[in-house]
Amino acid sequence: MTRTAYAEINLPALRHNYAVAKRQLPHTKVWAVVKSNGYGHGLLRVAQALPQADGFALINLEDALALRHAGVRAPILLLEGAIEARELEEAHAWQLDVVVRSEHQLQWLHACGQPLRVWVKVNTGMNRFGFVPERAIAVVAELRALGCQVAGLMTHFACADDLAIKLDAPWQRFMQVVDATDLPFTAANSAATLRAPLTHGAAVRLGGLLYNNNPFYPDTRLWLDGLQPVMRFAARIVHTSELQAGDSIGYGAAFTAAKPMRIGIVGAGYGDGYPRAAPSGTPVLVNGQRVPLVGRVAMNVLAIDLTEQPQVGIGDEVTLWGDARLSCDEIAWRCGTISEELQCALTSRLPIRQIVADNTLSPLPDDQTAPAQCLAYL
Ligand SMILES: *Cc1c(COP(=O)(O)O)cnc(C)c1O
């Protein structure tokens, strides 16, 4: 194998995380959110690993159709509804639930004439999409008059992941519509699901949680026990070198050795999806131990301090994130971002190895894997 960086997707861990969520939520449907290529884990891979899922939620019609073509029969919700009028016909033909979140989508539904299953989106303060409460109540009546099946109400909280901000105000706005219409509702993403059981309703929409991303990191008080990492990003050491005191390493000479050091050059960089923003000191895992990154992350390589790991050498594997001892949340937090951004940023050129059953690894594809072959391999 000449590709030195790769990702491993642990499908039993994903299934386990879904089961942990289900156990916590016996009275509500759990929809797996699989937008943006399943948060970078692979749309079809994730969907096919969760045959027990109550439903899937995503943004693009094309993705919904890909799931249907792959034989997924579970409910699928288009979180932002139709982007063009013609999509409504397809949504009806393929039995997709659609969100109605704006006046122009309502006009398309008037013109469409199909008895679609719809969820009316209420704007509770995100102020991007949705109807204000009074208008939402009227829209429900309008849709019913059109022959649509109004499956329920939907909202999305702006600040659910910030425990310092209460959900009372958006919740009261949403409840105005729930009380007036007596419809089922879906309101909670991962963060709201964890912090506010009141918001669970008919279905929760879990993205990050299924992929082991704690929306409150580093606060772990509300995090569920037993969730497991799903994506592991790893790379091989391609070179080792020595620094003398005063030598610097990498672009911009951003790190200078204070004492003699042994350096490992790892074959992964921002061109593979490792964040360039990771500062010196960001941990990686080698040989089960955390060692610090040193100097700037380059496009294809990064450097680590192997002074305390004399036995580690060329060809050995480094875990960049996605181990019980080194979470993606920690790396993201150290870079001032969230795990979702890192996971979505893994390039499609990266070979993917999937763990399909406990301790069973599918082999890495041959080197030079083109994206198309890579998909076929998946
Ligand atoms: C992405 C998304 C979710 C899932 O959010 P997580 O925080 O990843 O659980 C839920 N609802 C909507 C509308 C979304 O866009």
Side-chain angles (χ1 to χ4, degrees):
M1 198 202 54
T2 61
R3 300 290 289 271
T4 55
Y6 45 93
E8 206 173 80
I9 307 291
N10 188 331
L11 301 179
L14 177 66
R15 261 195 297 280
H16 168 85
N17 293 349
Y18 186 89
V20 168
K22 272 307 275 187
R23 209 177 307 137
Q24 291 284 322
L25 302 156
H27 306 301
T28 180
K29 303 272 186 211
V30 174
W31 290 339
V33 182
V34 293
K35 65 194 183 201
S36 291
N37 196 31
Y39 286 45
H41 295 66
L43 172 67
L44 291 180
R45 183 183 299 118
V46 167
Q48 288 173 338
L50 296 175
Q52 78 276 46
D54 296 327
F56 295 96
L58 42 68
I59 308 279
N60 294 315
L61 176 74
E62 290 73 16
D63 290 347
L65 297 186
L67 294 190
R68 284 286 184 254
H69 291 315
V72 172
R73 307 178 74 133
I76 298 177
L77 175 66
L78 293 179
L79 287 165
E80 289 178 13
I83 305 300
E84 293 175 28
R86 62 167 183 84
E87 293 190 349
L88 291 174
E89 312 280 339
E90 297 243 54
H92 181 252
W94 292 95
Q95 298 195 323
L96 309 175
D97 286 19
V98 294
V99 166
V100 185
R101 44 107 166 138
S102 61
E103 297 292 344
H104 73 274
Q105 289 180 330
L106 193 59
Q107 293 316 310
W108 293 342
L109 279 161
H110 274 279
C112 168
Q114 305 283 6
L116 279 135
R117 249 177 79 88
V118 298
W119 295 77
V120 175
K121 181 154 187 178
V122 182
N123 177 7
T124 52
M126 184 83 92
N127 295 330
R128 305 182 305 188
F129 301 130
F131 301 98
V132 295
E134 306 73 39
R135 181 69 188 127
I137 294 165
V139 166
V140 168
E142 216 176 293
L143 287 165
R144 283 183 171 145
L146 273 178
C148 287
Q149 184 192 345
V150 183
L153 305 169
M154 186 244 194
T155 194
H156 194 38
F157 298 114
C159 303
D161 57 1
D162 186 345
L163 291 171
I165 301 177
K166 288 206 163 81
L167 294 180
D168 297 8
W171 183 245
Q172 277 157 21
R173 255 171 256 146
F174 192 48
M175 277 303 111
Q176 281 180 43
V177 191
V178 172
D179 290 342
T181 59
D182 209 20
L183 280 165
F185 64 83
T186 172
N189 62 355
S190 297
T193 299
L194 290 168
R195 70 182 279 188
L198 202 64
T199 65
H200 291 173
V204 299
R205 309 183 303 269
L206 298 186
L209 186 148
L210 298 178
Y211 310 104
N212 195 43
N213 304 335
N214 174 0
F216 310 115
Y217 189 89
D219 186 335
T220 54
R221 283 172 298 172
L222 293 174
W223 196 227
L224 301 178
D225 281 340
L227 292 172
Q228 297 170 2
V230 177
M231 173 190 286
R232 190 172 74 92
F233 184 19
R236 299 209 176 272
I237 294 172
V238 294
H239 183 68
T240 58
S241 62
E242 310 285 335
L243 295 184
Q244 301 308 315
D247 286 349
S248 61
I249 183 157
Y251 282 114
F255 176 86
T256 302
K259 54 179 177 28
M261 289 176 76
R262 179 163 182 263
I263 296 294
I265 306 293
V266 179
Y270 64 81
D272 302 294
Y274 191 86
R276 185 174 178 276
S280 285
T282 303
V284 305
L285 209 60
V286 281
N287 199 22
Q289 304 294 315
R290 291 158 74 105
V291 306
L293 190 148
V294 287
R296 272 191 206 153
V297 174
M299 189 182 287
N300 297 107
V301 293
L302 54 84
I304 58 175
D305 177 4
L306 288 180
T307 311
E308 305 295 329
Q309 296 289 326
Q311 75 286 20
V312 171
I314 292 170
D316 286 344
E317 185 188 75
V318 175
T319 295
L320 301 167
W321 70 62
D323 185 279
R325 293 157 293 185
L326 185 68
S327 67
C328 189
D329 284 336
E330 178 179 350
I331 301 301
W333 177 72
R334 287 173 180 269
C335 295
T337 183
I338 56 174
S339 290
E340 285 78 356
E341 185 179 14
L342 300 189
Q343 291 160 358
C344 287
L346 281 196
T347 60
S348 56
R349 291 177 292 107
L350 215 62
I352 306 272
R353 172 160 66 180
Q354 33 189 28
I355 301 177
V356 290
D358 291 335
N359 303 321
T360 311
L361 272 182
S362 60
L364 277 166
D366 288 333
D367 43 335
Q368 314 302 324
T369 312
Q373 289 165 314
C374 200
L375 269 178
Y377 163 79
L378 312 176

